Amino acid sequence: MFKQNMKDEEKKDLLTKAEGLLKEAMEGKDFSELAKGNSEDGSAANGGNLGWFAKGVMVKPFEDACFEGEIGKVYPKVVETQFGYHIIKVEEKKPASYKSLEEVKDKLSEELLSTKRSETFYKWMDDLKKEYLK
């Protein structure tokens, strides 16, 4: 993981380490064990497994590598993001799909209600400020 004001030499050392781990993973060493022993990410405890995510959720270089990667294989390059260096293994991919209105209407209703409440609250606060802070 990159730290603020990290020196170039420190980044170079991290890249060297990541490249060594990538080599081990490409040679068949257990990816989960490598992640558990070396990752500084919160996913280390579960072997680096991030679960499912859709396009547009992760930072672009990471996401691009995940969606370009082959199922069951380690992505052949160390991926750099603002968070550090990443070694990626794609376990599965799901085709993009849409949910029916029935599947999302309760969640959508909650989100719309929450948004409306926030808008109403902030308008009320602005009105109070205008009235009492003249």
Side-chain angles (χ1 to χ4, degrees):
M1 182 176 280
F2 294 150
K3 298 175 183 110
Q4 282 186 328
N5 303 321
M6 183 176 270
K7 295 177 184 168
D8 288 342
E9 187 66 30
E10 292 174 295
K11 279 181 80 172
K12 185 179 175 187
D13 290 345
L14 285 176
L15 179 58
T16 300
K17 180 180 178 182
E19 288 171 338
L21 292 168
L22 174 63
K23 185 174 188 253
E24 288 183 57
M26 297 288 289
E27 290 172 350
K29 186 149 186 191
D30 185 82
F31 187 87
S32 179
E33 291 304 314
L34 286 172
K36 284 179 185 176
N38 295 282
S39 179
E40 295 178 16
D41 182 76
S43 68
N46 58 342
N49 188 338
L50 297 175
W52 298 100
F53 57 88
K55 285 188 177 181
V57 174
M58 300 293 191
V59 292
K60 186 143 178 58
F62 185 89
E63 179 179 284
D64 288 348
C66 290
F67 285 96
E68 288 171 14
E70 292 182 53
I71 296 170
K73 296 194 176 182
V74 176
Y75 190 73
K77 298 177 191 167
V78 172
V79 177
E80 181 179 354
T81 72
Q82 67 264 37
F83 303 109
Y85 296 114
H86 310 275
I87 299 167
I88 298 167
K89 182 176 181 184
V90 178
E91 292 291 340
E92 286 184 84
K93 292 184 183 184
K94 287 184 184 179
S97 63
Y98 294 96
K99 293 184 178 182
S100 70
L101 179 58
E102 255 334 284
E103 292 175 288
V104 298
K105 75 177 184 179
D106 289 339
K107 184 172 172 70
L108 184 58
S109 181
E110 287 174 25
E111 288 179 18
L112 290 170
L113 182 59
S114 177
T115 299
K116 187 64 175 172
R117 284 181 178 152
S118 291
E119 289 170 357
T120 302
F121 174 77
Y122 287 113
K123 183 184 180 319
W124 176 67
M125 289 297 293
D126 286 343
D127 291 345
L128 285 175
K129 286 177 186 176
K130 288 176 188 171
E131 184 176 338
Y132 291 101
L133 298 176
K134 291 180 184 178

